[in-house]
Amino acid sequence: MDGTAPPGEDFASVVSLQVNGATHTLSVDNRTTLLDTLREHLDLTGAKKGCDHGQCGACTVLVGGRRANSCLLLAVACDGEPITTVEGLVDGDRLHPVVEAFVARDALQCGYCTPGQICSALGMFEEAAHGHPSHVTPPPSGRDDGPARLTPPEIRERMSGNICRCGAYPNIVDAIEEAAP
């Protein structure tokens, strides 16, 4: 066997990824995750490979404005979708307000989970703004309750998919509460 694909079978696809406002056209193996594509093909190493099973949140990025575990998402499924990584949250020398709050509130220790925490917080802001409930959101009152209020218990519940092995949770919640719109 010479290592080539059998006739009629192609295991790669050309994808156009819209990452942090820039278009990247790549040929990737159909089985390549978005995380591996970002890290290995585009040299965007902010999203981390923690558990590689979608359980720790270290790989969280925004796809189409929604948070996603990039270790579980195939790159071919993101063709044409806008993707935001932590690297895309700077404007020249100015940091995103969530990043500034993480620094001001000392919401990181080793920093490994921080990019995923920050991207997850941004996705959470969008979900709350659209009134998406969590398990701790009070039941609807029968009228349009509007945006969900991001109290500390609400933030903790909504961020529960992002694990910090250092235990910086109180400061993470404080930073997110400070940066909430």
Side-chain angles (χ1 to χ4, degrees):
M1 181 114 184
D2 64 3
T4 60
E9 290 189 40
D10 189 5
F11 299 113
S13 294
V14 174
V15 295
S16 179
L17 300 178
Q18 311 295 322
V19 183
N20 300 328
T23 302
H24 303 274
T25 303
L26 308 162
S27 178
V28 296
D29 184 299
N30 293 330
R31 300 162 293 184
T32 304
T33 64
L34 178 59
L35 176 62
D36 288 339
T37 302
L38 293 170
R39 292 181 61 80
E40 297 172 16
H41 297 275
L42 300 179
D43 202 27
L44 295 171
T45 57
K48 303 296 189 246
K49 187 177 279 197
C51 66
D52 211 19
H53 295 289
Q55 297 176 347
C56 73
C59 67
T60 304
V61 297
L62 301 172
V63 179
R66 297 183 60 139
R67 51 188 166 166
N69 289 334
S70 62
C71 72
L72 297 179
L73 191 57
L74 296 176
V76 294
C78 299
D79 190 26
E81 288 286 328
I83 300 163
T84 303
T85 69
V86 73
E87 291 93 344
L89 300 179
V90 294
D91 184 11
D93 290 337
R94 180 153 167 78
L95 298 175
H96 190 281
V98 176
V99 177
E100 288 178 345
F102 266 67
V103 171
R105 292 295 190 150
D106 197 24
L108 55 114
Q109 287 182 31
C110 79
Y112 197 82
C113 72
T114 305
Q117 298 273 1
I118 290 168
C119 286
S120 189
L122 291 172
M124 175 190 61
F125 291 160
E126 204 56 35
E127 293 164 10
H130 287 95
H132 297 214
S134 79
H135 289 291
V136 298
T137 305
S141 62
R143 63 181 186 0
D144 178 14
D145 287 341
R149 194 164 154 260
L150 292 174
T151 62
E154 189 78 32
I155 292 169
R156 282 192 294 275
E157 172 63 25
R158 289 175 184 265
M159 293 294 293
S160 64
N162 291 80
I163 295 171
C164 173
R165 292 183 179 118
C166 300
Y169 296 115
N171 295 358
I172 291 169
V173 171
D174 289 347
I176 292 170
E177 188 175 29
E178 178 181 305

